[in-house]
Every structure is written in C-alpha cells, then in structure tokens.
Amino acid sequence: MRTVSELPGLSGGTGAGGSAPELNWAGNYRYTAASIHRPRTLEEVQEVVAGASKIRALGSRHSFNAIADSPGSLVSLEDLDPGIRIDAAARTVTVSGGTRYGTLAERLESAGFALPNLASLPHISVAGAIATATHGSGDANGNLATSVAALEIVAADGTVHRLNRGSSPDFDGAVVGLGALGVVTKVTLDIEPTFTVRQDVFEALPWETVLGNFDAATSSAYSVSLFTDWSGDAVAQAWLKSRVSGAAAPGPAALAGEAFAAGTFFGGTRAGVARHPLPGVSAENCTEQLGFPGPWSERLAHFRMAFTPSSGEELQSEFFVRREHAVDAIGELRTLSDRITPLLLVSEIRTVAADKLWLSTAYGQDSVGFHFTWKQRQDEVEKVLPVMEEALAPFNARPHWGKLFHAGADAVAGLYPRFSDFKDLAGRMDPEHKFRNEFLARKVFGN
C-alpha cells in the first residue's frame, strides 16, 4: 500500500510516521508541493502518476534550486525495492531509480564489479544524478549519465516506457531528462570488473605552474580535482585518484615510490596527513588518502557513505566550459576573486569527457567544470552569479542543472545544439505538461 504524507508547515526534517521532507538537502529551498507519495511497487507509481494533475519525482534532495519541486505533488522512490540485478555476461546492473550510489557501489564491489566513476557524494540517488548530468572527474571519464544503457520511465498517462541505448531513437535525449519526461523507475548501468584506487593529496600548487601545464596536471591520474578559493598565487589542494593495476596491490610506500618519487606534484607538496577540502575541517568523513590502496567504491567519491554529510551551511553552483578554454576561463574567474572569495567555502575544478546526451553539460565537448561551494548567503550569491556568468559568456559556459545559476531559457538554449529537440521530446512524452514546474518554465521551456 502506498503512503501519502502532507508536507509539514514548520519542520524541514523527515519526521516520524513518514512525514515528508519540506526542505532540500542544504535547507535553502522550501518545497511548495502539497503532498508526497511513497509508492512501494511499480504499479503504485503508475497509479500515482496517472492520477495526478501535476507531479514530479523527488530524489535525495541534493539540488540547490527548484528543479525537483512541483505545484502539485511529489513522488519519492525511496520505498521501492532497490532491485539490484547484476548481469555479469552483459556487464550491466539494473537498479531502482531511487537507490543511492553508495548502496549500489557496495553491492557491486561485493560481487566483483565497479562503476567507472562516482560523484563527490555517494549519498545521491541514481535517477536524480543522471537527470541533471551530475559527474565525478577524469579526462577520460564521462559524467554519471554516460553509463546509462537503458531507462524505465513512467509517462504522464501511467504507461511504462523502456528506452535502450542504440535502439531507442530518443534515448540520447531522455537520459539527462531533468524530470521533464516522466518518473524514472529503473536504470540499467554499464559496469566493469572491480579495480583498486589510491588517493593522494598535494598542497600549495603555484597557479603559474598549474596553468602552464594544465593538460598534463589533469591527466596525471584517473581522476584529478583542484581545490581553490580563487585568491592568492597557489591552488590549495590537488586530489589525485589513481587506478592501481594488478590483483594484489603493493603497500602505500611502494606505490608512492613508483608513482610520485619526488613527493611533489606541479610544484605542490604531498600532504602528510589526511585532508578535508575545507581548511581546518577534520578529514574523518573523507575517503582514505595518503596513498593507501583500496576498492574503487571507497576512493572515487570524496566522502564516505558511512557518514551523512551535514545539511545546510552551504550552497552550490557549477559552470562547464570546453577544455580548450579552461585556462582562459580560470584567468577570468581569478580576476573576480574580490567578489567570489568572501562568499566561498571552497571551489573545485574537475574534468569531464565529452558525450552525446542532448542536455548533458559535456554534450559534444571535453569539458572542465568550475564548482563553487558557497556560504549560505543566498542573496549575495545570487547577485554575484550574473557577474560570473557574464565573465564566462565568451566561453559558452553551461550551468549545472541542479545548482544555482542566473541564466534563463533564452540564454541556456543557445548552449545546447539539441535543445529544441529536447523540448519537442518533452512535448510528445508529456503533452499536458504534468511534469513541468516553475523552474523548467524559466530555465528550459521559456513560458
């Protein structure tokens, strides 16, 4: 039996008796939907969707804007059986859309398989992450949506559609679907044999050295993240996640001798203790560092699944440019340090490989993402966003769909060659606009 809860009028938490979450993960957005459905079967999802006039799927609530809200009701897939089904021969795994990546990663690792990448947080839901083109890092690694081999979507009339890579004409448009096409109840993902990863952190990398060798720096490991606050002459930290070959990994000292004999990385020095991206914050909830090898499932994310990240106290934005524009874009952002740095907790620079998913921020271009974790001073942040977007406009910077940005539909449309095709697809799959909301009206459909 499915459950329906009223959204509480005061508390933002998830209370006893299944009361619905009113606030997003960061606490900066209050949902306006009047109720939330928690179906336990596919049939109940179909019933809920078919019977609603306005509805949208709610994932792990890690978006920082109104993308997941609805003027009607919300549907959460958290109570669905994860249904994790591994097909070893096909090298795929099928899972409920509401399943969290950390849960899936643990199951895959125990079976000897892996995903190619993870986002910073393993706590996010599969369907929500792929719908917004959420990503990890690595020159050769696509965002999480590029691993999708098939989707099961409950459309506006309650019917179930299955789209497959290679055989469904609209597949490339549906994967990064922004929740505008229906409720994604199942996702099939590509997997590979499990692998071992080591993580090393280097500190105080001179900007001059990094920018003069940017391609070499980001290609130095399977995944590279650069952390900065945009002030000063040095990048604060570089996090390197390196795949370790061989079934039996040697100890960290031997690995360090092989990979980083000099103990330096483009002018930065190796951290002698585990670090958090934020200065002065304990690294307790961060994944293992100091070169100790371990499973991909415990290294590719920045934060451990066992620790629930604190909610509140931060906002996020992110912008993506073509890789060839990265150095120039960094230069522009550094000139805005006096506006950006006082509002910032930390910023992260990562690379993402090109793909062909219509609304992916890496569509058709190897990309570099500039991520901003802001202090929770939203009015001030929203004033600086147009300034940043204007500075990045010559590079056609694409904003992350689930984070704070200023641009409206007219500006965003010019960034995506298949934007009108996506709008046509949404019109065909949701002719009564059941899945649309105020965010999509402003940022996508322009009405």
Side-chain angles (χ1 to χ4, degrees):
M1 179 69 69
R2 63 184 174 88
T3 59
V4 183
S5 303
E6 296 297 319
L7 285 170
L10 296 176
S11 171
T14 302
S19 58
E22 182 184 1
L23 302 177
N24 66 343
W25 181 83
N28 73 301
Y29 183 79
R30 185 180 300 274
Y31 295 103
T32 61
S35 61
I36 181 169
H37 300 264
R38 299 181 184 278
R40 297 182 179 178
T41 66
L42 173 61
E43 292 73 22
E44 289 182 358
V45 176
Q46 294 177 266
E47 174 192 346
V48 165
V49 172
S53 58
K54 289 283 189 179
I55 193 167
R56 283 182 66 78
L58 180 68
S60 54
R61 297 182 288 138
H62 198 256
S63 291
F64 294 80
N65 56 36
I67 190 170
D69 204 358
S70 169
S73 57
L74 297 169
V75 57
S76 169
L77 303 183
E78 287 184 329
D79 288 351
L80 287 182
D81 185 336
I84 299 173
R85 189 176 74 252
I86 297 171
D87 186 332
R91 288 196 177 179
T92 61
V93 61
T94 300
V95 62
S96 166
T99 303
R100 305 196 179 221
Y101 269 95
T103 302
L104 175 59
E106 290 175 359
R107 176 69 177 275
L108 287 173
E109 170 58 21
S110 68
F113 289 99
L115 296 169
N117 217 337
L118 293 172
S120 296
L121 290 176
H123 308 77
I124 57 177
S125 68
V126 172
I130 65 173
T132 53
T134 295
H135 62 98
S137 186
D139 283 10
N141 298 325
N143 63 40
L144 301 184
T146 60
S147 292
V148 177
L151 293 172
E152 178 184 271
I153 303 177
V154 175
D157 62 359
T159 58
V160 177
H161 297 254
R162 184 172 177 84
L163 285 73
N164 297 279
R165 183 200 295 138
S167 60
S168 299
D170 297 321
F171 178 84
D172 289 341
V175 178
V176 182
L178 311 183
L181 310 181
V183 177
V184 175
T185 49
K186 282 186 182 178
V187 182
T188 299
L189 300 168
D190 298 327
I191 56 176
E192 60 185 273
T194 186
F195 55 90
T196 300
V197 175
R198 60 170 290 173
Q199 185 166 222
D200 298 86
V201 175
F202 293 82
E203 301 178 287
L205 291 69
W207 269 118
E208 182 178 4
T209 305
V210 172
L211 296 180
N213 302 274
F214 188 78
D215 288 345
T218 64
S219 64
S220 295
Y222 185 71
S223 167
V224 176
S225 292
L226 303 175
F227 289 98
T228 180
D229 68 359
W230 300 102
S231 69
D233 296 325
V235 177
Q237 297 177 5
W239 288 36
L240 279 62
K241 303 172 192 284
S242 306
R243 288 182 67 148
V244 179
S245 60
L255 285 170
E258 294 172 9
F260 307 106
T264 63
F265 180 73
F266 293 95
T269 57
R270 183 190 305 279
V273 296
R275 295 298 191 194
H276 190 283
L278 296 180
V281 177
S282 169
E284 180 184 20
N285 65 346
C286 296
T287 49
E288 189 86 36
Q289 301 167 28
L290 304 179
F292 289 93
W296 65 278
S297 55
E298 298 176 9
R299 298 293 187 279
L300 290 184
H302 292 337
F303 300 98
R304 299 180 183 181
M305 183 66 176
F307 289 81
T308 302
S310 60
S311 61
E313 304 304 322
E314 68 178 58
L315 305 171
Q316 292 184 14
S317 300
E318 190 167 21
F319 301 95
F320 300 81
V321 303
R322 283 184 178 273
R323 183 182 183 89
E324 56 262 37
H325 298 319
V327 171
D328 289 338
I330 288 170
E332 291 295 327
L333 291 169
R334 291 182 70 199
T335 67
L336 296 177
S337 174
D338 61 328
R339 300 286 303 274
I340 294 173
T341 305
L343 300 176
L344 199 63
L345 291 172
V346 74
S347 191
E348 181 179 8
I349 302 172
R350 290 184 285 180
T351 57
V352 186
D355 61 60
K356 58 180 182 177
L357 306 176
W358 296 354
L359 290 193
S360 166
T361 45
Y363 175 85
Q365 59 185 48
D366 290 331
S367 299
V368 175
F370 304 116
H371 176 274
F372 301 84
T373 299
W374 306 104
K375 298 172 184 176
Q376 202 166 54
R377 293 156 59 177
Q378 187 153 348
D379 289 346
E380 295 170 84
V381 169
E382 289 188 348
K383 288 178 181 177
V384 79
L385 288 175
V387 178
M388 295 168 58
E389 291 176 25
E390 182 179 3
L392 294 174
F395 313 115
N396 295 317
R398 296 168 175 170
H400 190 295
W401 292 107
K403 300 177 182 180
L404 298 177
F405 64 97
H406 175 75
D410 289 344
V412 173
L415 303 174
Y416 294 92
R418 303 297 300 271
F419 201 78
S420 61
D421 293 330
F422 177 82
K423 291 170 68 173
D424 290 343
L425 174 60
R428 285 186 278 116
M429 291 196 67
D430 182 23
E432 297 180 1
H433 301 176
K434 181 176 290 191
F435 300 110
R436 299 195 189 182
N437 62 5
E438 183 267 344
F439 175 89
L440 293 178
R442 288 188 297 109
K443 304 294 189 180
V444 179
F445 296 106
N447 51 33

mmCIF file of all heavy atoms in Angstrom, residues 382-403:
data_model
loop_
_atom_site.group_PDB
_atom_site.id
_atom_site.type_symbol
_atom_site.label_atom_id
_atom_site.label_comp_id
_atom_site.label_asym_id
_atom_site.label_seq_id
_atom_site.Cartn_x
_atom_site.Cartn_y
_atom_site.Cartn_z
ATOM 1 N N GLU A 382 23.411 35.178 -5.254
ATOM 2 C CA GLU A 382 22.614 35.402 -6.458
ATOM 3 C C GLU A 382 22.957 36.731 -7.134
ATOM 4 O O GLU A 382 22.729 36.880 -8.334
ATOM 5 C CB GLU A 382 21.131 35.322 -6.110
ATOM 6 C CG GLU A 382 20.701 33.897 -5.782
ATOM 7 C CD GLU A 382 19.205 33.730 -5.627
ATOM 8 O OE1 GLU A 382 18.502 34.759 -5.555
ATOM 9 O OE2 GLU A 382 18.750 32.577 -5.603
ATOM 10 N N LYS A 383 23.532 37.658 -6.405
ATOM 11 C CA LYS A 383 23.981 38.906 -7.023
ATOM 12 C C LYS A 383 25.290 38.733 -7.784
ATOM 13 O O LYS A 383 25.533 39.417 -8.783
ATOM 14 C CB LYS A 383 24.137 39.986 -5.951
ATOM 15 C CG LYS A 383 22.812 40.493 -5.395
ATOM 16 C CD LYS A 383 23.041 41.528 -4.300
ATOM 17 C CE LYS A 383 21.699 42.008 -3.731
ATOM 18 N NZ LYS A 383 21.894 42.972 -2.608
ATOM 19 N N VAL A 384 26.130 37.824 -7.319
ATOM 20 C CA VAL A 384 27.413 37.646 -7.999
ATOM 21 C C VAL A 384 27.308 36.678 -9.180
ATOM 22 O O VAL A 384 28.138 36.714 -10.094
ATOM 23 C CB VAL A 384 28.503 37.168 -7.000
ATOM 24 C CG1 VAL A 384 28.398 35.688 -6.712
ATOM 25 C CG2 VAL A 384 29.900 37.505 -7.521
ATOM 26 N N LEU A 385 26.289 35.826 -9.211
ATOM 27 C CA LEU A 385 26.160 34.853 -10.300
ATOM 28 C C LEU A 385 26.072 35.516 -11.678
ATOM 29 O O LEU A 385 26.757 35.071 -12.612
ATOM 30 C CB LEU A 385 24.958 33.938 -10.064
ATOM 31 C CG LEU A 385 25.108 32.906 -8.944
ATOM 32 C CD1 LEU A 385 23.805 32.144 -8.742
ATOM 33 C CD2 LEU A 385 26.252 31.940 -9.246
ATOM 34 N N PRO A 386 25.270 36.560 -11.874
ATOM 35 C CA PRO A 386 25.254 37.191 -13.199
ATOM 36 C C PRO A 386 26.616 37.762 -13.611
ATOM 37 O O PRO A 386 26.966 37.741 -14.794
ATOM 38 C CB PRO A 386 24.216 38.313 -13.050
ATOM 39 C CG PRO A 386 23.379 37.927 -11.887
ATOM 40 C CD PRO A 386 24.294 37.181 -10.962
ATOM 41 N N VAL A 387 27.362 38.233 -12.644
ATOM 42 C CA VAL A 387 28.698 38.764 -12.925
ATOM 43 C C VAL A 387 29.604 37.634 -13.410
ATOM 44 O O VAL A 387 30.348 37.785 -14.404
ATOM 45 C CB VAL A 387 29.283 39.431 -11.669
ATOM 46 C CG1 VAL A 387 30.706 39.936 -11.942
ATOM 47 C CG2 VAL A 387 28.381 40.569 -11.193
ATOM 48 N N MET A 388 29.552 36.499 -12.736
ATOM 49 C CA MET A 388 30.353 35.349 -13.134
ATOM 50 C C MET A 388 29.926 34.828 -14.503
ATOM 51 O O MET A 388 30.774 34.507 -15.352
ATOM 52 C CB MET A 388 30.239 34.250 -12.085
ATOM 53 C CG MET A 388 30.834 34.617 -10.730
ATOM 54 S SD MET A 388 30.384 33.433 -9.439
ATOM 55 C CE MET A 388 31.013 31.905 -10.135
ATOM 56 N N GLU A 389 28.629 34.741 -14.717
ATOM 57 C CA GLU A 389 28.136 34.221 -15.986
ATOM 58 C C GLU A 389 28.508 35.140 -17.150
ATOM 59 O O GLU A 389 28.811 34.675 -18.252
ATOM 60 C CB GLU A 389 26.629 34.003 -15.899
ATOM 61 C CG GLU A 389 26.267 32.850 -14.969
ATOM 62 C CD GLU A 389 24.772 32.654 -14.784
ATOM 63 O OE1 GLU A 389 24.000 33.058 -15.678
ATOM 64 O OE2 GLU A 389 24.369 32.087 -13.749
ATOM 65 N N GLU A 390 28.518 36.442 -16.896
ATOM 66 C CA GLU A 390 28.952 37.380 -17.940
ATOM 67 C C GLU A 390 30.432 37.190 -18.252
ATOM 68 O O GLU A 390 30.848 37.218 -19.425
ATOM 69 C CB GLU A 390 28.693 38.815 -17.489
ATOM 70 C CG GLU A 390 29.071 39.854 -18.540
ATOM 71 C CD GLU A 390 28.780 41.276 -18.092
ATOM 72 O OE1 GLU A 390 28.342 41.458 -16.937
ATOM 73 O OE2 GLU A 390 29.003 42.198 -18.894
ATOM 74 N N ALA A 391 31.238 36.971 -17.213
ATOM 75 C CA ALA A 391 32.674 36.763 -17.426
ATOM 76 C C ALA A 391 32.944 35.473 -18.199
ATOM 77 O O ALA A 391 33.897 35.393 -18.980
ATOM 78 C CB ALA A 391 33.392 36.734 -16.084
ATOM 79 N N LEU A 392 32.102 34.473 -17.986
ATOM 80 C CA LEU A 392 32.286 33.178 -18.645
ATOM 81 C C LEU A 392 31.528 33.072 -19.964
ATOM 82 O O LEU A 392 31.671 32.081 -20.681
ATOM 83 C CB LEU A 392 31.833 32.051 -17.706
ATOM 84 C CG LEU A 392 32.664 31.857 -16.431
ATOM 85 C CD1 LEU A 392 32.010 30.815 -15.529
ATOM 86 C CD2 LEU A 392 34.101 31.460 -16.760
ATOM 87 N N ALA A 393 30.741 34.081 -20.302
ATOM 88 C CA ALA A 393 29.924 34.038 -21.520
ATOM 89 C C ALA A 393 30.737 33.829 -22.794
ATOM 90 O O ALA A 393 30.304 33.100 -23.693
ATOM 91 C CB ALA A 393 29.082 35.310 -21.619
ATOM 92 N N PRO A 394 31.940 34.434 -22.933
ATOM 93 C CA PRO A 394 32.717 34.193 -24.159
ATOM 94 C C PRO A 394 33.089 32.728 -24.361
ATOM 95 O O PRO A 394 33.433 32.323 -25.483
ATOM 96 C CB PRO A 394 33.972 35.051 -23.941
ATOM 97 C CG PRO A 394 33.551 36.118 -22.985
ATOM 98 C CD PRO A 394 32.579 35.437 -22.066
ATOM 99 N N PHE A 395 33.012 31.937 -23.281
ATOM 100 C CA PHE A 395 33.377 30.527 -23.361
ATOM 101 C C PHE A 395 32.137 29.630 -23.428
ATOM 102 O O PHE A 395 32.257 28.403 -23.340
ATOM 103 C CB PHE A 395 34.231 30.149 -22.148
ATOM 104 C CG PHE A 395 35.330 31.133 -21.865
ATOM 105 C CD1 PHE A 395 35.330 31.873 -20.689
ATOM 106 C CD2 PHE A 395 36.346 31.341 -22.778
ATOM 107 C CE1 PHE A 395 36.336 32.799 -20.421
ATOM 108 C CE2 PHE A 395 37.354 32.260 -22.532
ATOM 109 C CZ PHE A 395 37.340 32.995 -21.348
ATOM 110 N N ASN A 396 30.943 30.238 -23.574
ATOM 111 C CA ASN A 396 29.689 29.476 -23.654
ATOM 112 C C ASN A 396 29.545 28.506 -22.483
ATOM 113 O O ASN A 396 29.250 27.317 -22.666
ATOM 114 C CB ASN A 396 29.596 28.723 -24.984
ATOM 115 C CG ASN A 396 29.514 29.660 -26.164
ATOM 116 O OD1 ASN A 396 28.794 30.658 -26.130
ATOM 117 N ND2 ASN A 396 30.263 29.369 -27.216
ATOM 118 N N ALA A 397 29.755 29.012 -21.280
ATOM 119 C CA ALA A 397 29.709 28.170 -20.087
ATOM 120 C C ALA A 397 28.303 27.646 -19.835
ATOM 121 O O ALA A 397 27.322 28.403 -19.884
ATOM 122 C CB ALA A 397 30.189 28.961 -18.872
ATOM 123 N N ARG A 398 28.204 26.352 -19.580
ATOM 124 C CA ARG A 398 26.926 25.704 -19.296
ATOM 125 C C ARG A 398 26.765 25.511 -17.783
ATOM 126 O O ARG A 398 27.646 24.942 -17.139
ATOM 127 C CB ARG A 398 26.852 24.348 -19.990
ATOM 128 C CG ARG A 398 26.889 24.412 -21.512
ATOM 129 C CD ARG A 398 27.103 23.040 -22.133
ATOM 130 N NE ARG A 398 27.014 23.089 -23.592
ATOM 131 C CZ ARG A 398 27.347 22.079 -24.397
ATOM 132 N NH1 ARG A 398 27.817 20.929 -23.862
ATOM 133 N NH2 ARG A 398 27.233 22.200 -25.702
ATOM 134 N N PRO A 399 25.662 25.944 -17.211
ATOM 135 C CA PRO A 399 25.457 25.760 -15.768
ATOM 136 C C PRO A 399 24.972 24.352 -15.432
ATOM 137 O O PRO A 399 24.277 23.713 -16.228
ATOM 138 C CB PRO A 399 24.383 26.797 -15.436
ATOM 139 C CG PRO A 399 23.601 26.935 -16.701
ATOM 140 C CD PRO A 399 24.584 26.737 -17.826
ATOM 141 N N HIS A 400 25.358 23.875 -14.258
ATOM 142 C CA HIS A 400 24.834 22.601 -13.748
ATOM 143 C C HIS A 400 23.344 22.767 -13.476
ATOM 144 O O HIS A 400 22.912 23.712 -12.818
ATOM 145 C CB HIS A 400 25.575 22.221 -12.467
ATOM 146 C CG HIS A 400 25.291 20.820 -11.994
ATOM 147 N ND1 HIS A 400 24.043 20.403 -11.574
ATOM 148 C CD2 HIS A 400 26.109 19.740 -11.850
ATOM 149 C CE1 HIS A 400 24.103 19.133 -11.207
ATOM 150 N NE2 HIS A 400 25.347 18.709 -11.383
ATOM 151 N N TRP A 401 22.550 21.804 -13.952
ATOM 152 C CA TRP A 401 21.092 21.907 -13.868
ATOM 153 C C TRP A 401 20.572 21.911 -12.434
ATOM 154 O O TRP A 401 19.519 22.493 -12.153
ATOM 155 C CB TRP A 401 20.442 20.766 -14.639
ATOM 156 C CG TRP A 401 20.646 20.844 -16.121
ATOM 157 C CD1 TRP A 401 21.471 20.058 -16.885
ATOM 158 C CD2 TRP A 401 20.027 21.760 -17.031
ATOM 159 N NE1 TRP A 401 21.402 20.422 -18.211
ATOM 160 C CE2 TRP A 401 20.510 21.466 -18.323
ATOM 161 C CE3 TRP A 401 19.101 22.799 -16.870
ATOM 162 C CZ2 TRP A 401 20.104 22.174 -19.462
ATOM 163 C CZ3 TRP A 401 18.694 23.495 -18.002
ATOM 164 C CH2 TRP A 401 19.197 23.187 -19.271
ATOM 165 N N GLY A 402 21.278 21.277 -11.522
ATOM 166 C CA GLY A 402 20.765 21.136 -10.165
ATOM 167 C C GLY A 402 21.314 22.156 -9.181
ATOM 168 O O GLY A 402 21.061 22.025 -7.977
ATOM 169 N N LYS A 403 22.028 23.156 -9.681
ATOM 170 C CA LYS A 403 22.677 24.113 -8.779
ATOM 171 C C LYS A 403 22.247 25.537 -9.117
ATOM 172 O O LYS A 403 21.508 25.765 -10.080
ATOM 173 C CB LYS A 403 24.195 23.918 -8.839
ATOM 174 C CG LYS A 403 24.579 22.496 -8.417
ATOM 175 C CD LYS A 403 26.053 22.189 -8.514
ATOM 176 C CE LYS A 403 26.299 20.727 -8.125
ATOM 177 N NZ LYS A 403 27.732 20.356 -8.196
#
